[in-house]
Amino acid sequence: MLDRRLIREQPDRVRRSLARRQLPVSIVDDILALDADWRTAVTAADAAKSERNQISSEFAKAKGQPPETLARLRERSNELGERIASYESSAASLEQRLDELLAQVPNVLADDVPDGADSNANVLVRSSGDPPAFAFEAKPHWEIGERLGILDFERGVRLARSRFTVIEGAGARLNRALINFFLERNTAAGFTEIAPPLLVNRESVEATGHLSKFSDAMFAVDDGSLFLSPTSEVQLVNLHRDEILEAADLPKRYTAYTACFRQEAGAAGKDTRGLIRQHQFEKVELVALTRPDAAAAMHDQLVRHAESLLQALELPYRLMLLCSGDTGFASQKTYDLEVWLPGQNTYREISSLSNTGDFQARRAGVRFRPAPKAKPEFVHALNGSALAIGRTLLAVLENYQEADGSVRVPRILQPYMGGTERIA
């Protein structure tokens, strides 16, 4: 959530950000109008309270005064009490409407985010590794997995519905190897491992901005008071909700492996085959909570760490800076890591790494004290996948496929596979 003072003091900055996101800017004027009415109501209530306090002091001095003097003071005090109740009721109603509007405003984009309407305007930052050259026609992962008997899409549908998959045998072991490899690398890099609940409450998803972004995508349970987590970013950011941290304890860096659930995974009819867009998928997530002046450096650290995982797996990838129209609701700035998929002859996103500034922390009430007895400030929150398990699995299947239909196991994963070098 944006600071109301930011909109009040720099409305043009917020309007420019909305316009860069291809969104209407009129909501800024609506917020300013409501904010002015709210401040008027609060000021009027404060003035009435001050006058009533003055009358209370006059009561103490009115002993021995004529009864009509006391009656007049009592009548005025009662009148002020009614006015105060009316002003406070009006202010509360206006504040609720303000919060509803503020919840619809995305984060203000960083100045160095490139302008553009969609992913076609994203900017290549760097690339690593050459796409493999095969002496045969590369197969997509769904053909490889079905032929090897490690991916069963039909049984996934039978057990649940479309876009659910059963992973079997060596495929399940490879999936688990990726999870263990990522978690061990992340914890070795200083991230604390968390095993969070998979159900999250409404306050948690509102705090991270996912209820606005994924309100039609999340699986709701218990009449909408709980949700199946769309990403463990939600749980990790909310670990310190409504807490005040000490500066010496920052940064807080967390990693978690969870299953994730999204009702509408992508556009209708798009990526319906294979593991690209599943209603249930797995990720190993990174979240950092840090001082504002350290957030940019932390963003770079998260990006470099996620890259190191792809480099260790020897998978070709590229790093993209997302344009204004493709940057997520809660993000100031986002980098995407895209892995090469030879079976589809394209790069596909495998990780998004975002700096949300104080946007999520403000909603979640996560603050820190810069110095002893100093006024608390909001931390800055950053997040990224390290990595998406299903997409890494399919990238391994496609990049390490052999002419005979087998798949080589990346060297870094072989110890996690009991020394297995090939899935055949």
Side-chain angles (χ1 to χ4, degrees), residues 178-198:
L178 287 168
I179 295 166
N180 291 335
F181 168 61
F182 293 156
L183 286 174
E184 287 188 9
R185 281 295 181 102
N186 295 350
T187 54
F191 292 85
T192 299
E193 184 177 353
I194 301 293
L198 293 183

Side-chain angles (χ1 to χ4, degrees), residues 148-223:
L148 291 174
I150 61 175
L151 297 180
D152 195 325
F153 301 103
E154 182 180 339
R155 284 192 172 90
V157 174
R158 186 186 307 166
L159 293 174
R161 68 185 200 201
S162 63
R163 299 194 184 186
F164 288 87
T165 303
V166 172
I167 305 176
E168 301 181 35
R173 191 172 189 184
L174 178 59
N175 194 75
R176 177 160 47 89
L178 287 168
I179 295 166
N180 291 335
F181 168 61
F182 293 156
L183 286 174
E184 287 188 9
R185 281 295 181 102
N186 295 350
T187 54
F191 292 85
T192 299
E193 184 177 353
I194 301 293
L198 293 183
L199 286 172
V200 289
N201 57 33
R202 180 171 289 271
E203 292 81 4
S204 294
V205 288
E206 285 178 342
T208 53
H210 286 84
L211 194 58
S212 298
K213 182 179 178 182
F214 291 123
S215 57
D216 294 330
M218 288 188 294
F219 287 90
V221 299
D222 198 21
D223 297 326

Side-chain angles (χ1 to χ4, degrees), residues 93-159:
S93 176
L94 288 166
E95 187 156 40
Q96 181 180 352
R97 290 163 61 192
L98 265 172
D99 287 343
E100 290 171 354
L101 284 183
L102 285 167
Q104 300 173 35
V105 181
N107 206 343
V108 173
L109 294 166
D111 292 337
D112 58 347
V113 170
D115 288 334
D118 53 37
S119 59
N120 293 317
N122 293 344
V123 175
L124 174 65
V125 178
R126 56 180 171 265
S127 58
S128 174
D130 297 320
F134 296 112
F136 56 92
E137 183 179 354
K139 301 283 193 302
H141 67 277
W142 54 85
E143 290 187 19
I144 300 169
E146 287 180 325
R147 181 176 298 177
L148 291 174
I150 61 175
L151 297 180
D152 195 325
F153 301 103
E154 182 180 339
R155 284 192 172 90
V157 174
R158 186 186 307 166
L159 293 174

